[in-house]
Amino acid sequence: MPTALGSKIKALREEKKYTLEKLAELTGSSKSYIWELENKNPPRPSADKVSKIADQLGVTIEYLLDSEASITVEDAADARFYRKYQKMDSKTKEKIRSFVDLWDDDDS
């Protein structure tokens, strides 16, 4: 029986049009490991593998592990973006803020 984790991985994988093989390749996992995550209730999925899967699917680990569905895909994508943004140098951050300001001006 699939878990919330497995259902989310499968839905996001299919949304990105990744095969089991492709996601396995991108995350350094085996096809059978991805299949088991999607279709069974593994006792303890590897935190490292779940992190790599979340990264390739564009969400956070918290989203994948949230069994109560309190985090949306959009919230997870935003959180992932912000974490990446926090690691950027100040020059890159300034460019991004300038782009956002330009978009904001268009909406006025």
Side-chain angles (χ1 to χ4, degrees):
M1 174 178 241
T3 61
L5 169 68
S7 297
K8 289 176 183 181
I9 290 172
K10 185 173 185 174
L12 291 166
R13 177 180 62 78
E14 289 176 346
E15 185 179 299
K16 289 191 170 286
K17 299 189 181 356
Y18 289 165
T19 62
L20 286 168
E21 294 89 354
K22 181 66 176 177
L23 184 57
E25 176 187 320
L26 291 170
T27 60
S29 304
S30 68
K31 174 183 168 183
S32 62
Y33 183 77
I34 301 295
W35 185 90
E36 283 190 26
L37 286 177
E38 289 184 358
N39 296 289
K40 293 189 175 185
N41 191 0
R44 295 184 131 187
S46 159
D48 181 55
K49 295 290 186 188
V50 174
S51 175
K52 289 177 181 178
I53 291 167
D55 188 50
Q56 289 301 319
L57 296 176
V59 296
T60 61
I61 296 171
E62 293 83 6
Y63 170 76
L64 290 179
L65 297 177
D66 179 28
S67 61
E68 297 177 15
S70 61
I71 303 170
T72 66
V73 174
E74 186 175 0
D75 290 341
D78 289 347
R80 182 174 176 264
F81 171 80
Y82 187 66
R83 288 178 186 163
K84 288 174 77 174
Y85 174 83
Q86 287 179 308
K87 295 176 185 176
M88 294 175 184
D89 61 70
S90 58
K91 189 174 181 179
T92 303
K93 287 179 180 179
E94 183 56 39
K95 287 179 183 177
I96 291 172
R97 286 191 295 269
S98 295
F99 290 139
V100 171
D101 288 343
L102 286 171
W103 285 320
D104 193 37
D105 289 345
D106 287 345
D107 292 338
S108 301

